[in-house]
Amino acid sequence: MCAAEALVEIHRGPFLESQHMGHAVICDSTGGIIEAWGDPETIVLPRSSAKMIQALPLVMSGAAKAFGIRQDRLALACASHQGAPLHVQAVNTWLADLGLGDGDLICGTEASRDKELRFQMIRDGETPCRVHNNCSGKHSGFLTLTKHLGAGADYVDPCHPVQMSVRDAFEDVTQMESPGFGIDGCSAPNFATTMHGMARAMAYFASAGQRNDTMSNAAGQLVEAMMAFPELVAGETRACTHLMRAAQEPLAIKTGAEGYFVAILPKRGIGISLKIADGATRASNCAIAAILVRLGVLDAANPEVKRFLNPPVKNWDGLVTGEIRPVAGLTGAA
């Protein structure tokens, strides 16, 4: 990566202790850049922030309609969920309705990210399952599309019809040919694009209501689902869920591994992509909150916003020793 800019600072007492560098792009409904930090042409892997793109073929193909996929399941298809009981039950029910089970998922086993459930499972001697994986909702969507297409079981193979349709959709909404892919934590291909390409894609989702075609209608359905069920998209304590709830206008946001974040503003037709160069989640949470404050979507004084915009740094004795904050001017404040 080149030309990354300082976006987030870590202060300890009166000293600037650390900085997180990154890139960010804000696009309008035409795909034009409104504002940018760093290099808009930096090639990135958007990781889980691309899940709404990966869910497009589920809706476009007619699979969602054929299998009666409700809005809550569309939200799960776009989710990096917490693996809380709410999420696990929803995924298990979805799989059962397909006549499938945990073993049909190819996302890998992951311990629940919900502390209460994880500790309870340890006390009860239970082992994690694939449904606890934060990507199991996305994979349930892949399985639904696989069944609809009558395709083979290895739905994460880059040459599988499911992943070929995902790549087609990805290149359509980013408006560029992907230079390749990496294999994500859940074993599915994760297609690369530029920061500008990803912001264009989010602007496409944000302006879906302005068009009337199969892909736009699918994009609109997925955005509505994410906004209707923020607790399914991530979970309690997570930035995606809390910032969507705190928004002063319609907002869909999605985090991705290694410091990635995207935002969709349907009222304005605006899309945002954000990448923290060192991959730090604390920095991506802060920076996306700052940019949304800058745009007037979030109120910096809202406690639900402040917990990500200006979280305190505490020592082992619980003393506040510093804070995480956006660089001066990122929120738009003087």
Side-chain angles (χ1 to χ4, degrees):
M1 293 183 182
C2 63
E5 291 187 28
L7 296 177
V8 175
E9 299 176 343
I10 314 301
H11 287 257
R12 185 174 296 270
F15 300 102
L16 169 63
E17 185 171 34
S18 303
Q19 282 186 319
H20 293 285
M21 315 295 284
H23 310 268
V25 179
I26 305 175
C27 274
D28 62 21
S29 60
T30 71
I33 295 177
I34 298 173
E35 199 166 7
W37 296 260
D39 183 4
E41 300 312 311
T42 293
I43 300 293
V44 290
L45 292 167
R47 304 295 296 275
S48 285
S49 67
K51 281 181 177 173
M52 73 290 290
I53 303 176
Q54 292 171 305
L56 278 171
L58 170 66
V59 183
M60 292 172 60
S61 66
K65 183 176 182 180
F67 285 88
I69 302 301
R70 303 181 304 271
Q71 198 176 48
D72 56 340
R73 289 184 178 175
L74 291 182
L76 271 176
C78 301
S80 296
H81 64 69
Q82 199 82 333
L86 168 73
H87 307 117
V88 174
Q89 181 179 354
V91 173
N92 274 327
T93 302
W94 188 351
L95 292 173
D97 288 348
L98 293 172
L100 302 173
D102 192 81
D104 295 294
L105 295 169
I106 314 180
C107 54
T109 298
E110 179 185 8
S112 172
R113 300 184 182 194
D114 180 84
K115 288 185 178 180
E116 288 189 18
L117 178 58
R118 183 170 72 252
F119 293 159
Q120 186 61 53
M121 290 180 69
I122 292 171
R123 288 192 293 269
D124 294 343
E126 297 179 4
T127 56
C129 299
R130 297 178 185 187
V131 293
H132 296 101
N133 188 298
N134 77 100
C135 296
S136 64
K138 176 180 78 173
H139 282 248
S140 296
F142 286 161
L143 281 168
T144 303
L145 180 55
T146 297
K147 195 161 188 176
H148 183 69
L149 297 175
D154 189 10
Y155 60 82
V156 296
D157 186 321
C159 296
H160 191 279
V162 166
Q163 299 307 328
M164 292 176 69
S165 65
V166 169
R167 180 165 191 152
D168 288 344
F170 187 85
E171 293 182 339
D172 281 346
V173 296
T174 58
Q175 298 178 36
M176 62 175 286
E177 181 179 347
S178 174
F181 62 88
I183 299 301
D184 215 330
C186 66
S187 296
N190 194 253
F191 297 103
T193 188
T194 63
M195 289 296 298
H196 188 189
M198 198 61 184
R200 272 197 304 261
M202 295 305 100
Y204 179 91
F205 276 80
S207 59
Q210 300 175 19
R211 299 176 296 274
N212 185 23
D213 57 73
T214 302
M215 182 174 283
S216 295
N217 291 337
Q221 288 182 54
L222 292 166
V223 172
E224 289 295 328
M226 291 175 70
M227 294 190 299
F229 293 94
E231 69 280 0
L232 294 180
V233 172
E236 299 305 326
T237 76
R238 300 281 299 286
C240 294
T241 296
H242 287 274
L243 295 181
M244 280 195 278
R245 287 175 177 167
Q248 301 178 127
E249 66 182 70
L251 171 69
I253 61 174
K254 182 71 189 67
T255 189
E258 298 299 331
Y260 214 89
F261 233 119
V262 295
I264 299 166
L265 284 62
K267 187 176 178 180
R268 311 187 198 195
I270 285 177
I272 304 169
S273 66
L274 166 73
K275 168 68 178 178
I276 298 298
D278 64 11
T281 298
R282 67 178 183 177
S284 60
N285 287 348
C286 174
I288 196 68
I291 291 171
L292 291 169
V293 167
R294 181 187 192 88
L295 294 173
V297 179
L298 297 176
D299 179 359
N302 185 319
E304 292 301 300
V305 176
K306 290 179 70 174
R307 68 187 293 177
F308 301 105
L309 182 67
N310 295 116
V313 175
K314 296 183 179 181
N315 69 8
W316 292 111
D317 202 31
L319 298 175
V320 175
T321 59
E323 71 168 354
I324 300 170
R325 68 174 76 149
V327 296
L330 189 59
T331 61

